[in-house]
Amino acid sequence: MNNIKASRNDFKLTLAVDGDNYYETDVKAGPYIVGPNVLQIYPTEKVLMEVEQEQGVIKSLKVVKKNENPTKTIDISFMQKTDGKKHQQMMLSIFNPFDMNLKYRANIFLMKGNKWEATDVLPIMRGISSYETWPDIIVTIALDQWELSPDVNDKNK
């Protein structure tokens, strides 16, 4: 059985704004991996991303249906936290299954301003989950520059 989940189905994304208003958009069916090792996800999505790596160098990424290889599958979810119908924050959760630290870059598409912006994220220590939060309403997020490193602070690895 093929475990690859190359693309998402169409869905309506609805995000709470201020208790009275919502942001809605139709997300068209399309790939999760949108460029060389670039994962794009929307709020409410949870993806399992299987990584092929060799001595810490990431060779390829693919989104899979089931976690059949837990030692090389990153578990990622992106959600909006609300208080009733009022936006509170956006939260990205990433589980790093590797015995090395995981670094990545994130770009967020903000509802306000309707544009992509770079954002800071922290490396994820080996074998744990990391949570990033933002106060802004984020319509989608692109994660790239995935890198495994024995040392979180080693910029040269």
Side-chain angles (χ1 to χ4, degrees):
M1 183 175 96
N2 184 352
N3 193 32
I4 295 173
K5 185 178 180 181
S7 62
R8 70 180 50 83
N9 295 323
D10 289 340
F11 73 97
K12 182 176 288 298
L13 175 64
T14 303
L15 299 172
V17 176
D18 59 14
D20 295 318
N21 298 297
Y22 289 92
Y23 171 89
E24 282 192 339
T25 189
D26 290 319
V27 176
K28 300 295 181 204
Y32 291 102
I33 306 296
V34 296
N37 291 344
V38 180
L39 173 71
Q40 182 179 6
I41 60 172
Y42 291 85
T44 72
E45 288 189 310
K46 177 182 165 98
V47 298
L48 298 167
M49 188 170 68
E50 197 171 287
V51 176
E52 294 299 331
Q53 60 95 12
E54 197 172 289
Q55 297 175 338
V57 177
I58 293 176
K59 302 291 187 184
S60 69
L61 308 172
K62 63 184 173 191
V63 174
V64 294
K65 298 172 193 168
K66 288 190 237 163
N67 188 349
E68 294 176 346
N69 297 294
T71 60
K72 63 179 186 177
T73 303
I74 301 170
D75 189 332
I76 304 168
S77 63
F78 186 42
M79 64 194 72
Q80 180 185 43
K81 297 283 187 180
T82 60
D83 180 9
K85 298 177 182 178
K86 185 172 174 145
H87 169 78
Q88 290 193 309
Q89 68 182 7
M90 305 301 292
M91 185 169 79
L92 177 70
S93 167
I94 302 179
F95 173 71
N96 173 9
F98 299 101
D99 61 1
M100 288 189 271
N101 300 309
L102 179 64
K103 299 178 186 180
Y104 66 101
R105 179 178 70 172
N107 287 289
I108 54 179
F109 191 86
L110 299 173
M111 181 193 77
K112 188 184 284 185
N114 200 34
K115 65 179 181 178
W116 286 99
E117 290 189 15
T119 186
D120 292 328
V121 290
L122 296 172
I124 307 165
M125 304 299 282
R126 63 192 79 192
I128 66 167
S129 291
S130 170
Y131 300 90
E132 296 283 351
T133 60
W134 295 269
D136 306 293
I137 298 174
I138 300 170
V139 176
T140 186
I141 190 166
L143 309 173
D144 68 355
Q145 295 186 7
W146 299 93
E147 185 180 343
L148 294 170
S149 172
D151 178 9
V152 169
N153 299 313
D154 185 358
K155 300 291 184 199
N156 298 322
K157 267 299 203 177

